[in-house]
């Protein structure tokens, strides 16, 4: 079969024997020694280096996402290394695979909502916009993304801290204001505790930094891979996966023979 | 079945409604706003916060590992999102799965060698140790880990830069000296170009920082997950996976029908 | 924190020292020696053993899905074992991760369409239903799932064979008839070649067998894992992954330095 | 950079508009309707179709491996779909990633041992060979692969059944005899219950069938992917992942605040 060939391009990395270019920057002379890991992550996401203010806010966002305790992802990762101790990468991959729509989609949904709400309405009053969004979601019986938390109430302590950091670096603009207004409005209308949660705050800050739409999910994956490595090192020193497995297996087995079939 | 239950413990993360603790530190008051992402990664690996010197060297190590161009892992990641555009986490996971013994094991092997060679030989001359190690490897016909590069020769430009950064932060100790001596000795004995490569340099620096034995591989996974997200964002803007696929499929298909069965 | 505990149940498997129960059947006395692998897969999907007719059709469906040549999934799998030769499971997992919405979602979409179209319309004429569905899709400018193929035209040779097998086993009912009518109607209305493709045929047969809604995707994963193991064994004997990688890397690298940045 | 190009070949699959070839066989005319899924798997592993006896034994092997109850892999898979319900393939992949050296390596180790012990010793007495192997392992304080089970004792009920099936199909040759002799010898020498377990039996049968060395692991992955899909369908109907997660998270959290840091 003949087919037209299209050329392959990429700006991610290129090298000669004595030179390495990453995202268009000379790794040896421009990046190493003057760039932090999170600045490199920002560069990977956007193609440009962050200034000091952006860098501080980006550090705060990513830091928040590294470690959330004994999540389903962390448990899956630990159970995986129990069976495949030869493959640290496999155990991290197994953990990342649970970072999908349910746990990894919140910040993305919040960012999408903020961006679409503020697109082309530069002069409009934030509270009016928030009221409109909350009404729409209530009528459709859909929760407003980025609001509410099952543990952290009446406020999610990460949110005011993240917004303070953004403000002190001049990066708490209209997206942050709208996210806060959505929280106030939703609480007033429903009478329930609906604080802006960490994913809402992170979604707003991704917008303030002008990050691409994949960024909330991408940042979550980057940060969580760090946390998962931490879990796996702890698991090798103080294992708990076998105990979690054997408890579940024993209970299921006993229940089955007791005739309690589901 | 009755079984003895063992308690589940972890120091990774814990929380109350108004408090979040990560690696034993208060996230809101002790970490956010004063800690960089790479300091958090160091904390995840070791349980302690790095000082400024350690932090600079750790940034340099991780930075080096983020992006290596169109690697098999990057291509696998891009091919995966072509088939499963709904799952960014799946595409990153697929890419990480190739970070195994062949591409991810080098720094670990170098660090293991340096650590075991220097264990309990505090006063011994570095050059004598290096000569012994090189002799052993030559007799066993095994390459010394951390030496040689198929593209970056006669020197890997990352190595002197990484060692300079370590030296300027007071962290170029005996492990760095041994790694350098191994390179000199191996080149002298074989007459071939065997520079200390980036994985050798990173292995040595992991030892200087006192990181745990899983660190070289763990750091590689952390850093590469950042690079893979970068590849996937580029793939969504300037795709190449379909072209790589169709070229291979067409060639294999044509070859089969031309009777050139393998 | 106190929380109400819910019991853990499963009907998948349970065992005592001398007995093993799988899906409620005694593995030793009821399954081994009298059950084929695909009958076991049917049991895993539905909780019941297929009769001989169902079994024959199920074998045909799954067989069709095992191997599709040099797909993106197969290439990703081969690239992964190149980097992680220690982990066959990692390479298969990497390949499966590309079996998402784009390549794995077609049969599911076809089955969903057939089921929803036929729900509660027992007496209705199949051609009338097909005309309605095609009109709806044309107005919404959406393709009808299960129709058309970029290579196999004017007919996909798998489809008549699969439908023949179903017919000879008395399992070509209204879902098959509707799928065929959709193809006829879509071709008539658009004037284009839109044969029922293999995913459309498989979607229809999953409905005829009364499989659960996850079945099309689940069967694809089951079958493809067999095919991916086949690719990896071939890769170990007659490798091509390194060649695919190096061609792409060289081209991207050369293009970058030629100033052709994307 | 110029590089020599090597051609890409594969015998897995190839197609023209009206023809599909899989492993060198015409899918439509030679395979569909006359081949079972497990015969296709045998073909994928070996490049040849099994005869009826081989097919029966291969069905028994693969059947045994489909479902082992609430394993770490099954739990990891269920935890993954909890977080990423959009990706069935991701949840199966996460489960497969735990099928590594600890749980997936046993049959491979047994097969390797049997093959290497019997290589070039055609006339030698099986019991003498077994005594030698057991002595070697006892001196090296290594367990003989394929012997012993923590639940199934004094015998693993799968083993006699698998060997009976092999015998009735004329496929219980010297590898089976050696595996049985190893069990007898090890029990006699140690005084402990060391029955040939299912992985030992499967390892022996893989040798009898002349399967390639990757087969034990490859078959395990193929079969387990079927079982994992079964788990995920059950999880969608009768979920337990959230309960397993929340129990562990609550216990870890409570323990941390109770000051019981590990």
């Amino acid at each position: 079969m003949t087919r037209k060939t299209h050329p392959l391009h990429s700006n991610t990395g290129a090298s000669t024997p004595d030179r390495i270019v990453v995202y268009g920057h000379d790794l040896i002379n421009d990046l190493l020694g003057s760039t932090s890991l999170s600045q490199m992550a920002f560069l990977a996401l956007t193609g440009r280096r962050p200034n000091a203010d952006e860098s501080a806010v980006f550090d705060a966002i990513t830091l928040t996402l590294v470690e959330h305790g004994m999540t389903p992802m962390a448990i899956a990762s630990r159970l995986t290394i129990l069976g495949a101790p030869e493959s640290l990468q496999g155990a991290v991959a197994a953990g990342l695979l649970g970072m999908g729509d349910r746990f990894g989609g919140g910040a993305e949904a919040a960012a999408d909502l903020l961006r679409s709400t503020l697109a082309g309405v530069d002069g409009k009053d934030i509270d009016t916009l928030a009221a409109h969004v909350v009404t729409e979601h209530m009528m459709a019986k859909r929760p407003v993304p980025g609001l509410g938390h099952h543990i952290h109430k009446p406020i999610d302590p990460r949110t005011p801290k993240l917004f303070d950091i953004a403000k002190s670096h001049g990066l708490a603009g209209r997206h942050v204001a709208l996210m806060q207004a959505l929280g106030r409005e939703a609480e007033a209308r429903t009478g329930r505790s609906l604080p802006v949660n960490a994913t809402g705050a992170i979604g707003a800050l991704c917008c303030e930094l002008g990050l691409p739409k994949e960024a909330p999910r991408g940042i979550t994956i980057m940060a969580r891979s760090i946390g998962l490595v931490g879990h796996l090192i702890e698991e090798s020193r103080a294992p708990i996966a076998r105990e979690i497995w054997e408890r579940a297996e024993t209970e299921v087995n006993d229940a089955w023979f007791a005739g309690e079939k589901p």
Side-chain angles (χ1 to χ4, degrees), chain A:
Chain A
M1 199 191 326
T2 57
R3 61 180 293 282
K4 194 176 171 316
T5 294
H6 303 275
L8 303 179
H9 289 286
S10 171
N11 194 42
T12 53
S15 60
T16 63
D18 62 353
R19 192 174 157 218
I20 295 167
V21 185
V22 179
Y23 309 128
H25 296 268
D26 186 294
L27 177 68
I28 312 302
N29 299 306
D30 292 350
L31 296 174
L32 275 174
S34 62
T35 311
S36 73
L37 180 63
S38 72
Q39 288 168 336
M40 189 73 162
F42 191 102
L43 183 54
L45 286 169
T46 64
R48 68 179 182 85
R49 291 167 92 160
N51 62 33
D53 288 318
E54 292 168 328
S55 194
V57 171
F58 190 74
D59 259 326
I61 292 176
T62 51
L63 207 75
T64 304
L65 291 165
V66 167
E67 179 48 57
H68 285 188
M70 207 51 66
T71 57
M73 287 75 86
I75 302 171
S77 203
R78 287 169 179 255
L79 288 164
T80 302
I81 204 137
L82 177 65
E86 76 278 14
S87 174
L88 189 69
Q89 75 274 13
V92 173
L96 288 181
L97 288 171
M99 191 51 71
D101 283 355
R102 191 160 302 157
F103 299 125
E108 184 179 68
D112 288 348
L113 175 65
L114 297 174
R115 241 185 313 245
S116 65
T117 304
L118 290 172
V121 293
D122 278 14
K124 233 177 187 169
D125 177 61
I126 289 289
D127 285 330
T128 308
L129 290 168
H132 181 67
V133 169
V134 171
T135 300
E136 275 189 333
H137 280 76
M138 289 179 75
M139 287 175 59
K141 293 186 195 296
R142 285 186 291 116
V144 178
L147 299 185
H149 197 280
H150 66 299
I151 291 172
H152 299 301
K153 43 191 172 185
I155 59 165
D156 183 331
R158 296 165 292 191
T159 301
K161 183 72 181 187
L162 287 168
F163 285 165
D164 279 357
I165 292 171
K167 195 176 170 191
S168 74
H169 288 281
L171 284 161
R174 280 170 68 81
H175 297 92
V176 168
L178 176 57
M179 194 70 235
Q180 291 174 312
L182 288 171
R184 281 194 308 271
E185 183 72 17
E187 295 204 324
R189 297 276 288 278
T190 63
R192 294 169 47 211
S193 171
L194 288 169
V196 177
N197 58 35
T199 59
I202 287 168
L205 295 182
C206 284
C207 296
E208 298 290 345
L209 291 171
L211 301 182
K213 69 180 169 49
E214 297 92 339
R217 214 175 273 247
I219 291 171
T220 306
I221 291 169
M222 293 171 172
R224 205 50 68 88
S225 77
I226 294 174
L228 288 169
V229 172
H231 273 276
L232 293 167
I233 289 181
E234 187 185 75
E235 178 70 20
S236 76
R237 312 289 191 267
I240 61 172
R242 179 174 285 274
E243 178 69 17
I244 293 173
W245 160 37
E246 289 187 3
R247 286 186 195 177
E249 189 186 48
T250 303
E251 181 174 338
V252 164
N253 212 49
D254 290 353
W256 199 89
F257 286 107
E260 308 172 46
K261 301 180 200 177

